């Protein structure tokens, strides 16, 4: 599948339910239903989400077993195929050899593009080691017929960001189709675009969608867009058309929630907001992650209401 990176893509939540024994398990039907609802939503200009990101940070990835994750992605691939968009998911490993095996497994369940995280090592890898890690993942992608997206996320990696020099070297590898940059400092995006205007760069933090577009990003991967997809898609339409004032009004309307996308508990916060939005508060609080305090619950609820009220004024509640 040819990927069109000029747009916004939802990093969908993995919905959970209680099993007969009282433990939490993946609710595949509800997860598919919510993903489909997001993908079918159109912006004011008639465009839709351009991809589907599954089993990421917001998809409980850190808490899923390999078997659970592959089953989840297989179910999401059915939704992605129905709406003719690529399925994207991440991969990270300690060694480049382990990474290759993970990529091969993801391909078997229908993933089209692999977001490759930096290696999970205690010692900070050198640029040479980092390049070899990504180069082998690119070679593996070529063998199995998919593409990769180097994912620059220093918070998740636990050490410094990938250098612009390394990112530029990786970007010209044949199976590297785009770069994902998760930072509130969009100057790195502008620096990369100045070096190569043809680069496809996706922003990974909701608070900087408009600023990233100004810097040259072609799109973004969104968590808040799962809750308010019409607003997210419409904002990207304005960014693409250079209608910055209109795009910024939506960004400001979403900001009370977008702020949560840059917090350590972004999974728990945004998933609860999704539960409020779908009148399923209990479901929104079901997570393999941390349990929210009452103060945190009240804060997320207030932030959701504020964003919803602002978006109603802009006619952006789907």
């Amino acid at each position: 599948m040819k990927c069109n990176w000029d747009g916004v893509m939802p990093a969908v939540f993995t919905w959970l339910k209680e099993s007969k024994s009282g433990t939490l398990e993946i609710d595949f039907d509800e997860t598919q239903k919510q993903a489909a609802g997001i993908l079918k939503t159109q912006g004011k200009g008639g465009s839709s989400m351009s991809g589907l990101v599954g089993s990421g940070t917001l998809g409980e990835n850190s808490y899923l077993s390999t078997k659970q994750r592959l089953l989840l992605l297989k179910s999401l691939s059915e939704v992605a195929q129905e709406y003719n968009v690529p399925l994207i998911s991440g991969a990270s490993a300690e060694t480049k050899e382990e990474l290759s095996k993970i990529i091969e497994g993801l391909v078997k369940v229908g993933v089209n593009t692999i977001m490759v995280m930096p290696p999970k090592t205690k010692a900070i890898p050198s640029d040479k080691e980092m390049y070899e890690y990504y180069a082998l993942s690119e070679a593996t992608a070529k063998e199995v017929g998919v593409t990769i997206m180097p994912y620059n996320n220093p918070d998740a990696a636990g050490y410094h960001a990938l250098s612009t020099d390394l990112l530029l070297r990786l970007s010209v590898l044949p199976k590297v189709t785009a770069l994902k940059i998760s930072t509130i400092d969009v100057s790195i995006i502008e620096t990369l675009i100045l070096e190569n205007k043809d680069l496809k760069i996706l922003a990974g933090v909701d608070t900087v969608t408009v600023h990233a577009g100004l810097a040259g990003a072609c799109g973004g991967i969104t968590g808040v867009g799962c809750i308010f997809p019409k607003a997210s898609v419409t904002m990207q339409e304005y960014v693409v058309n250079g209608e910055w004032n209109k795009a910024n009004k939506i960004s400001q309307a979403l900001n009370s929630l977008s702020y949560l996308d840059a917090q350590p508990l972004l999974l728990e916060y945004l998933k609860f907001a999704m539960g409020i939005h779908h009148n399923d508060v209990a479901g929104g609080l079901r997570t393999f992650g941390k349990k929210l305090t009452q103060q945190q619950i009240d804060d997320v609820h207030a932030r959701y209401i504020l964003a919803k009220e602002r978006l109603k004024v802009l006619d952006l509640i789907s």
Side-chain angles (χ1 to χ4, degrees), residues 169-196:
R169 290 175 63 200
L170 295 175
S171 70
V172 298
L173 294 173
K175 286 297 179 178
V176 172
T177 187
L179 302 175
K180 181 183 177 186
I181 308 295
S182 284
T183 175
I184 59 173
D185 179 7
V186 300
S187 64
I188 186 174
I189 297 175
E190 188 170 36
T191 299
L192 291 166
I193 293 295
L194 286 172
E195 291 291 331
N196 182 355

CSV table of all heavy atoms in Angstrom, one decimal, residues 169-196:
chain,number,residue,atom,x,y,z
A,169,ARG,N,20.8,11.3,7.2
A,169,ARG,CA,21.4,10.1,6.6
A,169,ARG,C,20.4,9.0,6.5
A,169,ARG,O,20.3,8.3,5.5
A,169,ARG,CB,22.6,9.6,7.4
A,169,ARG,CG,23.8,10.6,7.3
A,169,ARG,CD,24.9,10.1,8.3
A,169,ARG,NE,25.4,8.8,7.9
A,169,ARG,CZ,26.0,8.0,8.7
A,169,ARG,NH1,26.2,8.3,10.0
A,169,ARG,NH2,26.4,6.8,8.3
A,170,LEU,N,19.5,8.8,7.5
A,170,LEU,CA,18.5,7.8,7.5
A,170,LEU,C,17.4,8.1,6.5
A,170,LEU,O,16.9,7.2,5.8
A,170,LEU,CB,17.9,7.6,8.9
A,170,LEU,CG,18.8,7.1,10.0
A,170,LEU,CD1,18.1,7.2,11.3
A,170,LEU,CD2,19.3,5.7,9.7
A,171,SER,N,17.1,9.3,6.3
A,171,SER,CA,16.0,9.7,5.4
A,171,SER,C,16.2,9.3,4.0
A,171,SER,O,15.2,9.2,3.2
A,171,SER,CB,15.7,11.2,5.5
A,171,SER,OG,16.8,12.0,4.9
A,172,VAL,N,17.4,9.1,3.5
A,172,VAL,CA,17.6,8.8,2.1
A,172,VAL,C,17.7,7.3,1.9
A,172,VAL,O,17.8,6.9,0.7
A,172,VAL,CB,18.9,9.5,1.6
A,172,VAL,CG1,18.8,11.0,1.7
A,172,VAL,CG2,20.2,9.0,2.4
A,173,LEU,N,17.6,6.5,2.9
A,173,LEU,CA,17.5,5.1,2.7
A,173,LEU,C,16.2,4.7,2.0
A,173,LEU,O,15.2,5.3,2.3
A,173,LEU,CB,17.6,4.3,4.0
A,173,LEU,CG,18.9,4.4,4.8
A,173,LEU,CD1,18.7,3.8,6.2
A,173,LEU,CD2,20.0,3.8,4.1
A,174,PRO,N,16.3,3.8,1.0
A,174,PRO,CA,15.1,3.6,0.1
A,174,PRO,C,13.8,3.3,0.8
A,174,PRO,O,12.8,3.7,0.3
A,174,PRO,CB,15.6,2.4,-0.8
A,174,PRO,CG,17.1,2.5,-0.8
A,174,PRO,CD,17.5,3.0,0.6
A,175,LYS,N,13.8,2.5,1.8
A,175,LYS,CA,12.6,2.1,2.5
A,175,LYS,C,12.2,3.0,3.7
A,175,LYS,O,11.2,2.7,4.4
A,175,LYS,CB,12.7,0.7,2.9
A,175,LYS,CG,12.6,-0.3,1.8
A,175,LYS,CD,11.2,-0.2,1.1
A,175,LYS,CE,11.1,-1.2,0.0
A,175,LYS,NZ,9.7,-1.1,-0.7
A,176,VAL,N,12.9,4.1,3.8
A,176,VAL,CA,12.5,5.1,4.8
A,176,VAL,C,11.5,6.1,4.2
A,176,VAL,O,11.9,6.8,3.3
A,176,VAL,CB,13.7,5.9,5.4
A,176,VAL,CG1,13.2,7.0,6.3
A,176,VAL,CG2,14.6,4.9,6.2
A,177,THR,N,10.3,6.0,4.6
A,177,THR,CA,9.2,6.8,3.9
A,177,THR,C,8.9,8.1,4.5
A,177,THR,O,8.4,9.0,3.9
A,177,THR,CB,8.0,5.9,3.8
A,177,THR,OG1,7.0,6.5,3.0
A,177,THR,CG2,7.4,5.6,5.1
A,178,ALA,N,9.2,8.2,5.8
A,178,ALA,CA,9.0,9.5,6.5
A,178,ALA,C,9.7,9.4,7.9
A,178,ALA,O,10.3,8.4,8.2
A,178,ALA,CB,7.5,9.6,6.8
A,179,LEU,N,9.8,10.6,8.5
A,179,LEU,CA,10.3,10.7,9.9
A,179,LEU,C,9.2,11.1,10.8
A,179,LEU,O,8.4,11.9,10.5
A,179,LEU,CB,11.5,11.7,9.9
A,179,LEU,CG,12.7,11.5,9.0
A,179,LEU,CD1,13.6,12.7,9.1
A,179,LEU,CD2,13.4,10.2,9.3
A,180,LYS,N,9.2,10.6,12.0
A,180,LYS,CA,8.3,11.1,13.1
A,180,LYS,C,9.1,11.8,14.1
A,180,LYS,O,10.1,11.2,14.7
A,180,LYS,CB,7.5,9.9,13.7
A,180,LYS,CG,6.5,10.4,14.7
A,180,LYS,CD,5.8,9.3,15.4
A,180,LYS,CE,4.8,9.9,16.5
A,180,LYS,NZ,4.2,8.8,17.3
A,181,ILE,N,8.8,13.0,14.4
A,181,ILE,CA,9.5,13.8,15.3
A,181,ILE,C,8.6,14.2,16.5
A,181,ILE,O,7.6,15.0,16.3
A,181,ILE,CB,10.0,15.1,14.7
A,181,ILE,CG1,10.8,14.8,13.4
A,181,ILE,CG2,10.9,15.9,15.7
A,181,ILE,CD1,12.1,14.1,13.6
A,182,SER,N,8.9,13.6,17.7
A,182,SER,CA,8.0,13.9,18.9
A,182,SER,C,8.8,14.9,19.8
A,182,SER,O,9.6,14.4,20.6
A,182,SER,CB,7.7,12.6,19.6
A,182,SER,OG,6.7,11.9,18.9
A,183,THR,N,8.5,16.1,19.6
A,183,THR,CA,9.2,17.2,20.4
A,183,THR,C,8.3,18.4,20.3
A,183,THR,O,7.6,18.7,19.3
A,183,THR,CB,10.6,17.4,20.0
A,183,THR,OG1,11.1,18.5,20.7
A,183,THR,CG2,10.6,17.8,18.5
A,184,ILE,N,8.4,19.2,21.4
A,184,ILE,CA,7.7,20.5,21.3
A,184,ILE,C,8.6,21.6,20.7
A,184,ILE,O,8.2,22.7,20.4
A,184,ILE,CB,7.2,21.0,22.7
A,184,ILE,CG1,8.4,21.2,23.7
A,184,ILE,CG2,6.2,20.1,23.2
A,184,ILE,CD1,8.0,21.8,25.0
A,185,ASP,N,9.9,21.2,20.4
A,185,ASP,CA,10.8,22.1,19.8
A,185,ASP,C,10.8,21.8,18.3
A,185,ASP,O,11.5,20.9,17.8
A,185,ASP,CB,12.2,21.9,20.3
A,185,ASP,CG,13.3,22.8,19.7
A,185,ASP,OD1,12.9,23.7,18.9
A,185,ASP,OD2,14.5,22.6,19.9
A,186,VAL,N,10.0,22.6,17.5
A,186,VAL,CA,9.8,22.3,16.1
A,186,VAL,C,11.0,22.8,15.2
A,186,VAL,O,11.0,22.6,14.0
A,186,VAL,CB,8.5,22.8,15.6
A,186,VAL,CG1,7.3,22.2,16.3
A,186,VAL,CG2,8.5,24.4,15.7
A,187,SER,N,12.0,23.4,15.9
A,187,SER,CA,13.1,24.0,15.1
A,187,SER,C,13.8,22.8,14.4
A,187,SER,O,14.4,23.0,13.3
A,187,SER,CB,14.0,24.8,16.0
A,187,SER,OG,14.6,23.9,17.0
A,188,ILE,N,13.8,21.6,15.0
A,188,ILE,CA,14.5,20.5,14.3
A,188,ILE,C,13.8,20.1,13.0
A,188,ILE,O,14.5,19.8,12.0
A,188,ILE,CB,14.6,19.3,15.3
A,188,ILE,CG1,15.4,18.1,14.6
A,188,ILE,CG2,13.1,18.8,15.6
A,188,ILE,CD1,15.6,17.0,15.5
A,189,ILE,N,12.5,20.3,13.0
A,189,ILE,CA,11.7,20.0,11.7
A,189,ILE,C,12.2,21.0,10.7
A,189,ILE,O,12.5,20.7,9.5
A,189,ILE,CB,10.2,20.1,12.0
A,189,ILE,CG1,9.8,19.0,13.0
A,189,ILE,CG2,9.5,20.0,10.7
A,189,ILE,CD1,8.3,19.1,13.4
A,190,GLU,N,12.2,22.3,11.0
A,190,GLU,CA,12.6,23.3,10.1
A,190,GLU,C,14.1,23.1,9.6
A,190,GLU,O,14.4,23.3,8.4
A,190,GLU,CB,12.5,24.7,10.7
A,190,GLU,CG,12.7,25.9,9.7
A,190,GLU,CD,12.4,27.2,10.3
A,190,GLU,OE1,12.6,27.4,11.6
A,190,GLU,OE2,11.9,28.0,9.6
A,191,THR,N,15.0,22.7,10.5
A,191,THR,CA,16.3,22.4,10.1
A,191,THR,C,16.4,21.3,9.1
A,191,THR,O,17.1,21.4,8.1
A,191,THR,CB,17.2,22.1,11.3
A,191,THR,OG1,17.2,23.1,12.3
A,191,THR,CG2,18.6,21.7,11.0
A,192,LEU,N,15.6,20.2,9.3
A,192,LEU,CA,15.6,19.1,8.4
A,192,LEU,C,15.1,19.5,7.0
A,192,LEU,O,15.6,19.1,6.0
A,192,LEU,CB,14.8,18.0,9.0
A,192,LEU,CG,15.5,17.3,10.2
A,192,LEU,CD1,14.4,16.4,10.9
A,192,LEU,CD2,16.7,16.4,9.8
A,193,ILE,N,14.0,20.3,7.0
A,193,ILE,CA,13.3,20.7,5.8
A,193,ILE,C,14.2,21.6,5.0
A,193,ILE,O,14.3,21.5,3.7
A,193,ILE,CB,12.0,21.3,6.1
A,193,ILE,CG1,11.0,20.3,6.6
A,193,ILE,CG2,11.4,22.0,4.8
A,193,ILE,CD1,10.6,19.2,5.7
A,194,LEU,N,15.0,22.5,5.7
A,194,LEU,CA,15.9,23.3,5.0
A,194,LEU,C,17.0,22.6,4.2
A,194,LEU,O,17.5,23.0,3.2
A,194,LEU,CB,16.6,24.3,6.0
A,194,LEU,CG,15.6,25.5,6.4
A,194,LEU,CD1,16.3,26.3,7.6
A,194,LEU,CD2,15.3,26.4,5.3
A,195,GLU,N,17.4,21.4,4.8
A,195,GLU,CA,18.4,20.5,4.2
A,195,GLU,C,17.8,19.7,3.1
A,195,GLU,O,18.5,19.4,2.1
A,195,GLU,CB,19.0,19.6,5.2
A,195,GLU,CG,19.9,20.3,6.2
A,195,GLU,CD,21.2,20.9,5.6
A,195,GLU,OE1,21.7,20.3,4.6
A,195,GLU,OE2,21.7,21.9,6.1
A,196,ASN,N,16.5,19.3,3.2
A,196,ASN,CA,15.9,18.5,2.2
A,196,ASN,C,14.4,18.8,2.2
A,196,ASN,O,13.6,18.3,3.0
A,196,ASN,CB,16.1,17.0,2.5
A,196,ASN,CG,15.4,16.1,1.5
A,196,ASN,OD1,14.8,16.5,0.6
A,196,ASN,ND2,15.7,14.8,1.6
